[in-house]
Each structure stands twice: as structure tokens, then as C-alpha cells.
Amino acid sequence: MNKVAIVTGASRGIGKEIAKMLANEGIQVIANYNKSEEKALKLKKDLEEQGKLIDIFKADVSKQEECESLVKYTLEKYNKIDILINNAGIDQYKLITEVTKQDWEDMLNTNLYSAFCMCQQVLPNMIHNKSGRIINISSIWGIVGASQEIVYSITKAGLDALTKSLAKEVGPSNIKVNSIAPGLIDTDMNKDLTEDEVKYVIDQTPLERIGKPQDIAKCIKWLIEDDFTTGQIISINGGWIIT
Ligand code: NAP
């Protein structure tokens, strides 16, 4: 039977590339999107034309009831969930003194509560099956911190704590939980960076480039095959940040 994977925030960027990779591996993918319906429909059409197993589902994963709907839909249609990729995320550049309570709530709910809630929802099925993989897309900023991205960094550090704690809790049920902490990846999230800012990062990076969404998808491909890695934070950043 085909494996079943949910990817949150799969309409664009890193999540889209992860969905494509998983579908190419013969996995039944449920690609979640929120605002970018046209892009999600295009992804579905493109993959279906190649004979891949792809489904899409609209849900704002910052909200508990919409996480519940996404998981309920998946279980009713596909009976199980083998892989959960918590990828949906937003970023914001502000000095700490400019961050509002609403900013805080939006960032925490979208980047961290969503992953916590999705884990809560999928785990009963994974525990029942004594098998599962959960991968949280965090960020190097969760490890080293970032000026003017304090709330973002807090959410990503929180995700890494979720990864470590949950790996301990559900390891005996044969469920592996890991984080991937990307460096700078070429997606819409960084569309406002100037050429000079990107060049500055490249100059500091031993592998002399910024990342591509495919770099993250390749790591996921390895993680869903590996059998002895759990509770780890794997940073994919070309050597830009070495901790
Ligand atoms: P992106 O191109 O801006 O895409 C973000 C994705 O998240 C979109 O598909 C968006 O869906 C989805 N999303 C946002 N809020 C959502 C919500 N409430 N419910 C469901 N989906 C939601 O960003 P990206 O660069 O691919 O980032 C993906 C992940 O990698 C994020 O967690 C980000 O923090 C992390 N990351 C990125 C970088 C980087 O340099 N790009 C570095 C480190 C970590 P819709 O458009 O459909 O709303």
C-alpha cells in the first residue's frame, strides 16, 4: 500500500518542492494550502498529468479546527498517515519594540501552534500503526537567533524543542521526529532581500550559494528512509552557519 503524507504550506516554495519529491517517490501526498489556491490547483494538475498521487486541501493550520479538518479528511479518504511535514510558516522583520500582540499571536499560531496541533491530530493513528515520521521545518534562526526576527526565531526554537521532546515521547512507538533548519533558501519568503543582501550571505557561505527548495526536499527524502535518526535538528545552509 502507498505511504500517505501530509505537507502543510505546500502551495509554494519549500513545501511545494517537498510535495513534488514525495509524489515522485510514489507517496500519496495531501498538499495543504491556505491562500494560494490557484498555485495548489496547478501543482495538483501538473503532478496528476505525470501520474502521481496528489490531493490538495485548504486549511489555515494556525487554527485548531482547520488542522482537525485536514487530518479528518486524510484519514477518511486514505485511512492512515505515515508522514507529516510541518512546513507552513510566515516571517516578519520588525524591531522588538514594534511587534504587536497581534503579530505575536499570528507568528506563534502559524509557525508553532500549527505544528503542535498537527502532531496531536496525527499521532493517534501513527501510534496505532506503530510507525510514523514527523519532520518540522524550523530555521537556523531558531538555533543562533536573528536581529529583527525575534518572534520568528522564538517560534523556530520552539519547533526544535517540540522535535526533541516528541522524539523522546513517541520513539517507543517507532515514530521518528526531526527538524530541518534551513539557512537562506530562494523562495517568496526572501523576495524583499536586495541583491547586495543576498551577495553578503553568499560571500559568507563556504559552498558559495544560497539554498534551493530542492536542497531541503533532498534531506527529507533521506530522512523518510533513514531508520535510526530521531530528535535531531539538521541544518541545511551550505556552511553559512556552523554550530
Ligand atoms: P513561502 O514561499 O513564503 O511559502 C510559505 C507557505 O506556507 C505557503 O505555501 C503558504 O500557503 C503556507 N502558509 C502560510 N501560512 C499558512 C497557514 N496559516 N496555513 C496553511 N499554510 C500556510 O515560504 P518558504 O520559504 O517556502 O518557507 C517554508 C518554511 O520554511 C517556513 O516554515 C519557513 O519559516 C521555513 N524556512 C524558510 C527559509 C527561507 O529562507 N526561505 C529559511 C528557513 C526556514 P498559502 O500561500 O497557500 O497561504
Side-chain angles (χ1 to χ4, degrees):
M1 190 193 289
N2 290 92
K3 285 195 159 55
V4 177
I6 296 176
V7 184
T8 69
S11 51
R12 299 183 282 120
I14 294 171
K16 176 178 157 190
E17 209 53 45
I18 294 169
K20 280 164 61 181
M21 179 281 295
L22 292 171
N24 281 327
E25 290 298 297
I27 293 168
Q28 170 65 61
V29 177
I30 294 83
N32 156 249
Y33 67 98
N34 185 29
K35 294 179 182 157
S36 305
E37 184 152 67
E38 271 183 29
K39 291 189 169 141
L41 284 166
K42 168 120 180 32
L43 175 70
K44 181 170 153 64
K45 183 169 173 284
D46 290 349
L47 287 174
E48 275 177 351
E49 280 172 5
Q50 298 165 33
K52 311 296 181 204
L53 303 172
I54 176 81
D55 198 352
I56 56 173
F57 191 88
K58 176 174 166 57
D60 176 349
V61 293
S62 68
K63 298 186 173 135
Q64 180 180 353
E65 60 280 9
E66 299 199 24
C67 291
E68 285 169 4
S69 303
L70 169 57
V71 173
K72 188 166 178 276
Y73 171 82
T74 305
L75 287 176
E76 282 178 1
K77 196 159 170 190
Y78 302 104
N79 296 315
K80 61 172 186 159
I81 297 163
D82 300 289
I83 298 164
L84 167 65
I85 314 289
N86 285 314
N87 165 79
I90 52 174
D91 195 4
Q92 182 188 61
Y93 296 84
K94 276 190 181 180
L95 293 170
I96 189 167
T97 45
E98 292 171 352
V99 174
T100 65
K101 184 78 189 303
Q102 191 63 52
D103 293 333
W104 170 270
E105 284 173 7
D106 290 346
M107 296 284 291
L108 266 286
N109 286 335
T110 306
N111 291 5
L112 184 55
Y113 178 70
S114 61
F116 173 80
C117 191
M118 286 299 295
C119 289
Q120 279 192 321
Q121 295 300 315
V122 303
L123 275 167
N125 181 261
M126 287 185 176
I127 290 167
H128 177 264
N129 295 336
K130 278 211 156 272
S131 174
R133 318 251 173 186
I134 297 175
I135 300 168
N136 298 316
I137 308 299
S138 59
S139 164
I140 46 162
W141 296 149
I143 303 169
V144 298
S147 167
Q148 298 182 67
E149 289 180 88
I150 288 178
V151 185
Y152 181 79
S153 303
I154 289 169
T155 64
K156 297 303 187 177
L159 267 181
D160 290 346
L162 171 66
T163 290
K164 293 175 192 171
S165 307
L166 193 57
K168 292 182 180 179
E169 189 164 312
V170 299
S173 295
N174 189 33
I175 297 163
K176 291 117 192 162
V177 189
N178 291 287
S179 281
I180 295 181
L184 187 64
I185 308 295
D186 187 11
T187 69
D188 292 346
M189 192 169 268
N190 298 308
K191 66 180 183 314
D192 294 332
L193 290 180
T194 64
E195 268 182 35
D196 281 351
E197 286 167 331
V198 174
K199 184 175 179 306
Y200 177 77
V201 174
I202 292 172
D203 287 347
Q204 293 187 344
T205 302
L207 294 181
E208 297 180 327
R209 66 172 175 88
I210 64 166
K212 302 180 291 248
Q214 290 86 340
D215 295 315
I216 308 305
K218 276 185 197 164
C219 183
I220 300 231
K221 185 174 171 186
W222 168 73
L223 268 180
I224 60 169
E225 281 164 12
D226 179 82
D227 270 328
F228 203 50
T229 302
T230 197
Q232 303 305 310
I233 317 302
I234 301 165
S235 192
I236 309 287
N237 65 46
W240 180 30
I241 308 280
I242 299 177
T243 53

